[in-house]
Amino acid sequence: MSVPPPPSRLRAQKAVLPASAVPDGTRRRILEAALQLFASRGFHGASIRDLATALELRPSALYAHFPSKEHVLAELVRMGHEAHHEGLRTALLGAGSEPVEQLRALVRAHTLLHANHPQLAVVVNEEIHALPPELAAPSLALREQSAALLHAVIERGRAQGVFSVPHAGVTAAAISTLGLRLPYWYEPTAALDVDMLADLHVELSLRMLGVQGPPAS
Amino acid sequence: MSVPPPPSRLRAQKAVLPASAVPDGTRRRILEAALQLFASRGFHGASIRDLATALELRPSALYAHFPSKEHVLAELVRMGHEAHHEGLRTALLGAGSEPVEQLRALVRAHTLLHANHPQLAVVVNEEIHALPPELAAPSLALREQSAALLHAVIERGRAQGVFSVPHAGVTAAAISTLGLRLPYWYEPTAALDVDMLADLHVELSLRMLGVQGPPAS
DNA sequence: GCTATCTGAACGAACGTTCGTTTCGCAAGG
DNA sequence: CCTTGCGAAACGAACGTTCGTTCAGATAGC
């Protein structure tokens, strides 16, 4: 075992935290480097020493900013869930009262969040299980609230007769899933930028909901 | 740190290998226990000692059957990809020549495989990144072949005018994704068994492809 | 008595974490 | 202007534990 290969599961390279999240400084640098490492190797696959090396620090220096490795992950997971929930909530607020427009707004926001912050999406969705229950609980609660937003819109649309779905729960899961798997295959290009991708996901979601869309090739 | 909580990311409990996979014996027991552990805690989160404990063996005994921990994972990942590819290929062979029927067969097989073997699906899709490239390569090649099957059917249907999609690649990704996220939220119930779920995924896929389905509530 | 299987003990390496010390920017005091 | 004191941040070394793995020897079935 001469040189360990650098295994990575993501296409994206540079880790970006949501804008308003954390003031500049070492604490932010730690979170960004940890986001990168946890996203590409997993929480258990990335050590405190790896993290310190990436930051050009000694391992002990990290403990001036976080009480443990788990707390670094917990902070990332918390930030991710808050950014996601806030994004959905804001999108919904500006979408009027029609279920179709509300769904457009939700899917668009969901897709943009996952496309623009792929590492955070991966860490939030996979590494949360590495947290002890008391650190994961707040994020799991937020996640349920976000899922409830989508469910409510679908149910309202169904009640009004504008959506026609064979199974609301499975359809909601399918729509969520569109965004959740994005980090594993998508990267922005000129031929398919995030905006086009969001439009496509909106179109696919409306089709699943039985809403007639514009004709496609 | 008195008792470590048993974190798990899957709803399913009992690990089941595809039928024809491995002859009975200790080797099979090891694979099944490893599948369970790797699926619920991740490769790096489950140790050789955890695995030995689950099998009521001493850690050293495992090395009579596998040369390393990585090779256990590699075997699981290989089996998973082969079962998946074989399942898709067989389904396609029995589906005639009409793109709609071929797509039904592919989506149905894809969904059933993921619903019936959730742990294997998780290990195959997430823990493959813990393998060195030379152990992962054969499985990644198989994965591309499986994706190509779906792409080919979609392209043929589009050429024949029976599918109408805004973007073939994104739609194919969306259809694959339906199955891939299953292990994280689905478990079979009387109200929604695997067969109904497969039918629903077929219906959703056809809707995304612009094929008129039966009316739904 | 050969082969396959498992045990028990041990190896070096890596793990997360702790702790006393050092470094450094900066404001206050003479 | 120089010194002093201080708090924050990082260092360097070490801790106890767990990691994956090795290997000589015990055990058992053919």
Side-chain angles (χ1 to χ4, degrees):
Chain A
M1 192 187 304
S2 54
V3 173
S8 174
R9 63 181 168 201
L10 285 188
R11 308 186 91 83
Q13 297 298 345
K14 181 77 179 304
V16 181
L17 291 177
S20 64
V22 182
D24 282 8
T26 305
R27 183 180 167 91
R28 173 165 199 141
R29 287 183 61 230
I30 293 175
L31 286 172
E32 286 178 341
L35 176 56
Q36 170 98 295
L37 277 174
F38 293 167
S40 73
R41 304 190 209 168
F43 178 71
H44 291 300
S47 72
I48 284 284
R49 285 170 176 81
D50 294 334
L51 183 53
T53 299
L55 290 161
E56 296 184 284
L57 286 177
R58 259 30 72 187
S60 52
L62 304 178
Y63 289 85
H65 304 273
F66 291 93
S68 79
K69 185 190 175 192
E70 271 181 353
H71 281 80
V72 178
L73 173 62
E75 177 67 4
L76 287 173
V77 168
R78 192 196 57 80
M79 287 173 38
H81 276 98
E82 296 217 337
H84 183 249
H85 185 67
E86 182 61 20
L88 294 191
R89 221 172 47 82
T90 301
L92 202 50
L93 279 178
S97 61
E98 297 221 3
V100 169
E101 287 310 312
Q102 292 178 340
L103 187 109
R104 279 188 204 276
L106 280 185
V107 171
R108 165 165 283 274
H110 186 62
T111 296
L112 290 180
L113 284 164
H114 284 78
N116 289 327
H117 302 288
Q119 297 100 341
L120 199 53
V122 164
V123 167
V124 152
N125 283 298
E126 313 226 359
E127 307 303 332
I128 189 176
H129 306 101
L131 289 176
E134 68 269 21
L135 285 180
S139 294
L140 291 175
L142 262 185
R143 180 186 301 230
E144 279 194 36
Q145 287 186 43
S146 296
L149 291 181
L150 177 61
H151 273 94
V153 169
I154 291 179
E155 281 303 338
R156 258 187 90 242
R158 187 148 85 148
Q160 296 183 15
V162 296
F163 295 158
S164 155
V165 304
H167 190 295
V170 171
T171 309
I175 291 173
S176 295
T177 298
L178 287 186
L180 289 174
R181 285 290 302 186
L182 265 188
Y184 296 95
W185 66 271
Y186 174 71
E187 63 183 338
T189 62
L192 182 61
D193 62 29
V194 291
D195 227 64
M196 297 167 55
L197 182 71
D199 285 339
L200 288 167
H201 277 184
V202 166
E203 168 68 16
L204 291 175
S205 299
L206 289 176
R207 286 187 177 202
M208 287 192 274
L209 292 169
V211 177
Q212 205 69 354
S217 65
Chain B
M1 193 188 304
S2 54
V3 174
S8 175
R9 63 181 169 201
L10 284 189
R11 311 187 88 83
Q13 298 297 347
K14 180 79 179 301
V16 182
L17 291 178
S20 64
V22 182
D24 281 10
T26 305
R27 184 181 167 90
R28 171 163 201 142
R29 286 184 59 232
I30 293 175
L31 286 172
E32 285 177 341
L35 176 56
Q36 170 98 295
L37 278 174
F38 293 166
S40 74
R41 302 188 209 171
F43 178 72
H44 291 299
S47 72
I48 285 283
R49 283 169 177 83
D50 294 333
L51 183 52
T53 301
L55 290 161
E56 296 186 283
L57 286 177
R58 259 33 69 190
S60 51
L62 304 178
Y63 289 84
H65 303 274
F66 291 92
S68 78
K69 185 190 176 192
E70 271 181 354
H71 281 82
V72 179
L73 173 60
E75 177 69 5
L76 287 172
V77 168
R78 193 197 58 80
M79 289 172 40
H81 276 99
E82 296 217 338
H84 183 249
H85 186 67
E86 181 63 19
L88 294 192
R89 222 171 47 83
T90 301
L92 202 50
L93 280 177
S97 61
E98 297 222 5
V100 169
E101 286 312 312
Q102 292 178 340
L103 188 109
R104 278 188 206 278
L106 280 185
V107 171
R108 167 165 281 275
H110 186 62
T111 295
L112 290 180
L113 284 164
H114 284 79
N116 289 327
H117 302 287
Q119 298 99 340
L120 200 52
V122 164
V123 168
V124 153
N125 283 297
E126 314 229 359
E127 307 303 333
I128 189 176
H129 306 100
L131 289 177
E134 69 269 21
L135 285 180
S139 293
L140 291 176
L142 262 184
R143 181 186 298 230
E144 279 193 37
Q145 288 186 43
S146 295
L149 291 180
L150 178 60
H151 273 93
V153 168
I154 291 179
E155 281 301 340
R156 257 187 92 242
R158 186 148 84 149
Q160 295 183 14
V162 297
F163 295 158
S164 153
V165 309
H167 190 294
V170 171
T171 310
I175 292 174
S176 296
T177 298
L178 287 185
L180 289 174
R181 285 290 303 187
L182 265 186
Y184 295 93
W185 66 270
Y186 173 72
E187 63 183 338
T189 63
L192 182 61
D193 62 28
V194 291
D195 227 63
M196 298 166 55
L197 182 70
D199 285 339
L200 288 167
H201 278 185
V202 166
E203 168 68 14
L204 292 175
S205 300
L206 289 176
R207 285 186 176 203
M208 287 193 273
L209 292 168
V211 177
Q212 206 68 354
S217 65

